[in-house]
Amino acid sequence: MINAVLLDLAGVIYDGEEVVPGAAEAVARLRAAGLPIRFVSNTTRSSKPTILARLARLGLSVASDELFTPAEAACFWLRERGRAAHLLVHPDLVSEFQDLPADGGMAVVIGDAGDAFDYQALNAAFRKLVDGAELLALAPNRSFKDADGKLSLDAGAFVAALEFAGQRQAIVLGKPAPGFFHSALATIPCAAAEAAMVGDDAETDVAGALNAGLGQALLVRTGKYREGDEARFAPVPTATVQDISAAVDWILARRHGTE
Amino acid sequence: MINAVLLDLAGVIYDGEEVVPGAAEAVARLRAAGLPIRFVSNTTRSSKPTILARLARLGLSVASDELFTPAEAACFWLRERGRAAHLLVHPDLVSEFQDLPADGGMAVVIGDAGDAFDYQALNAAFRKLVDGAELLALAPNRSFKDADGKLSLDAGAFVAALEFAGQRQAIVLGKPAPGFFHSALATIPCAAAEAAMVGDDAETDVAGALNAGLGQALLVRTGKYREGDEARFAPVPTATVQDISAAVDWILARRHGTE
């Protein structure tokens, strides 16, 4: 039985500034079927308002509380533990980190900083780790499909760099952290076993969702998908389908647990 | 019995542009005792001529064939296998990579590029890995003692970044690769078990040398050494001493295997 759907954004709903063909209609079909949807994105180069505006331009009306971002999860984590943040994030994401604790210990927060990943910024973050700061990773993704169609380095590479040099493990806040999937489902509410995830990242979206207890996780062959990804990480996808439209077909066919 | 000594440079012989007090005298005492010396450095921000000139300024006359650098080892590796190099190294190191194969497969060569580690350069290297290039790490060190006395990110962090994103393991050419220690000892020649290593890096110098079969490895409390380093990596040092002078005292006292 599928009672809720979690959707990834980049590579599933849009590719760069272009909508994935059929994505808006596919989401509309889920809504028409009465299936609650939450969007869970590891994109950390854009603020939440920027992402919502992009979705609106592409014909998808998404409410703010339907979209879950690692930056929100990080702010929650920092406030709950009273930690000040040393930000190593994209300039467009800085506005998401407001009214945070000023002392009580320090955490380095790393997202996909893009061109802001330079030696001096990485070294400044490393020195905070040497001084005892914790390391919060907004997302551990290895790569993403860039505007030119090729794969580019995502935040995970730089998380790995700081983990290695700082000799500590990052606390991951976005996918594949189970808490990220669970907090989105808790707002429905829906049990993990009755939810399906759709993503283009076989590791963070698909294996991550299944490890978090979701009943189904579909891999789409759009976005960063490369031939063979469905066999590259465990657990493997429940199904691998062409795109979001095919994923919605698959989900609606199983909506009432008839298969 | 100790019949040869391998010495690290940065943090042992010099700290930035300053000689470690007593280092020149300590090296002279080894030479006077008739002990063959080789210098094995993972420093990849300077070319070999620059390193030799710095040693001369500090009062140490070192012949070119007494100094072993990862860049030389990389050029040997590339020629032997007929691989073209995509360099992600410090501008001062580029001159070391001459007359290399132009085709026959590609290898990304990564050293401590310093400020040349920016997103675009790292991403260009990553894309070579996606296209099937091999990954050669001149050195996997986590950090080094910088000019301001603090630890700074060394090449190893960026090696870890590319290993993670490229989903492959780097081939390490400098310390702690056993072949790097062995090729230095082969020029004497001296069996590994009869050689002693002196370094300030408990991981690459000390544990690396012991894993390579060297009979002794001494950790000095200069350079990047931090309290507790002697217990942080296995195997632990044969002895931990104040500096290169104390290391030479220790070695000369055991010169003939009397202890």
Side-chain angles (χ1 to χ4, degrees):
Chain A
M1 193 157 56
I2 299 174
N3 285 325
V5 179
L6 299 186
L7 297 176
D8 180 33
L9 288 177
V12 173
I13 302 294
Y14 49 76
D15 246 352
E17 293 299 317
E18 301 295 313
V19 72
V20 170
E25 296 80 354
V27 171
R29 284 199 289 142
L30 288 175
R31 292 206 195 273
L35 266 172
I37 304 171
R38 296 293 182 268
F39 297 87
V40 286
S41 174
N42 268 14
T43 301
T44 58
R45 282 195 186 187
S46 306
S47 69
K48 187 165 177 173
T50 301
I51 294 172
L52 291 172
R54 182 184 303 143
L55 287 168
R57 269 200 312 279
L58 301 177
L60 282 103
S61 173
V62 173
S64 179
D65 58 9
E66 289 180 309
L67 170 59
F68 289 79
T69 67
E72 286 178 304
C75 288
F76 185 83
W77 190 99
L78 292 162
R79 288 193 188 102
E80 195 169 50
R81 289 162 185 79
R83 296 286 191 283
H86 175 91
L87 299 179
L88 180 55
V89 300
H90 196 279
D92 285 357
L93 203 71
V94 172
S95 60
E96 303 280 74
F97 295 89
Q98 303 281 349
D99 304 320
L100 292 173
D103 45 30
M106 173 70 75
V108 169
V109 178
I110 177 170
D112 177 13
D115 285 335
F117 278 130
D118 60 29
Y119 183 79
Q120 295 304 328
L122 285 159
N123 199 40
F126 166 66
R127 288 178 164 194
K128 295 291 181 189
L129 299 182
V130 172
D131 291 344
E134 288 167 283
L135 179 58
L136 288 198
L138 296 182
N141 300 64
R142 298 174 199 263
S143 62
F144 67 99
K145 186 181 170 188
D146 212 336
D148 62 2
K150 295 185 181 177
L151 296 180
S152 282
L153 283 176
D154 207 335
F158 301 91
V159 174
L162 290 178
E163 286 186 324
F164 178 78
Q167 296 180 64
R168 77 198 55 194
Q169 216 177 345
I171 299 158
V172 175
L173 294 173
K175 297 173 284 183
F180 192 65
F181 296 103
H182 296 165
S183 62
L185 292 171
T187 63
I188 294 177
C190 175
E194 296 172 11
M197 170 76 203
V198 181
D200 68 328
D201 189 315
E203 186 175 23
T204 60
D205 289 332
V206 172
L210 294 172
N211 282 329
L214 272 73
Q216 331 274 342
L218 307 191
L219 180 65
V220 290
R221 293 196 177 92
T222 51
K224 79 179 71 168
Y225 173 83
R226 293 293 181 273
E227 194 64 38
D229 276 358
E230 58 270 45
R232 206 157 278 148
F233 303 98
V236 299
T238 314
T240 303
V241 297
Q242 190 52 38
D243 56 15
I244 176 73
S245 297
V248 168
D249 291 343
W250 192 98
I251 288 166
L252 291 180
R254 285 153 186 81
R255 168 80 174 96
H256 301 291
T258 50
E259 285 195 44
Chain B
M1 192 155 59
I2 299 175
N3 285 325
V5 179
L6 299 185
L7 297 175
D8 180 34
L9 288 177
V12 173
I13 301 294
Y14 50 75
D15 247 351
E17 292 299 316
E18 302 294 314
V19 71
V20 170
E25 296 81 353
V27 172
R29 284 200 288 139
L30 288 177
R31 293 205 194 274
L35 264 173
I37 304 170
R38 295 293 182 270
F39 298 87
V40 285
S41 175
N42 269 14
T43 301
T44 57
R45 283 197 186 188
S46 306
S47 68
K48 188 165 178 176
T50 301
I51 295 173
L52 291 172
R54 182 186 302 144
L55 287 168
R57 271 200 312 278
L58 300 176
L60 281 103
S61 173
V62 173
S64 178
D65 60 7
E66 290 180 309
L67 171 59
F68 290 79
T69 68
E72 285 178 304
C75 287
F76 185 82
W77 189 99
L78 292 161
R79 287 194 190 102
E80 195 169 49
R81 287 163 187 78
R83 296 287 191 281
H86 176 92
L87 298 178
L88 181 55
V89 301
H90 196 280
D92 285 358
L93 204 69
V94 172
S95 60
E96 303 279 73
F97 294 89
Q98 305 281 349
D99 303 321
L100 292 174
D103 45 32
M106 173 71 74
V108 169
V109 178
I110 177 170
D112 177 13
D115 286 333
F117 278 130
D118 59 30
Y119 182 79
Q120 295 305 329
L122 285 159
N123 199 40
F126 166 66
R127 288 178 164 195
K128 294 292 181 189
L129 299 182
V130 171
D131 290 341
E134 289 168 282
L135 179 59
L136 289 197
L138 296 182
N141 301 65
R142 297 174 199 266
S143 62
F144 67 98
K145 186 180 169 187
D146 212 336
D148 62 2
K150 296 184 180 178
L151 295 181
S152 282
L153 283 177
D154 208 334
F158 301 91
V159 174
L162 290 179
E163 285 186 324
F164 178 78
Q167 298 181 64
R168 77 197 58 192
Q169 214 176 348
I171 298 159
V172 175
L173 294 172
K175 298 173 284 185
F180 192 65
F181 296 104
H182 295 163
S183 61
L185 292 171
T187 63
I188 294 176
C190 174
E194 295 172 11
M197 170 76 204
V198 181
D200 68 328
D201 189 315
E203 187 175 24
T204 59
D205 290 332
V206 171
L210 294 172
N211 282 330
L214 271 73
Q216 332 273 341
L218 307 190
L219 181 65
V220 291
R221 291 196 179 90
T222 50
K224 81 179 69 168
Y225 172 85
R226 293 291 182 273
E227 193 65 36
D229 275 356
E230 57 269 46
R232 205 156 279 148
F233 302 98
V236 300
T238 314
T240 303
V241 298
Q242 190 52 39
D243 57 13
I244 176 72
S245 297
V248 168
D249 291 344
W250 192 97
I251 288 166
L252 292 180
R254 285 153 186 83
R255 168 80 173 97
H256 302 292
T258 52
E259 282 194 45

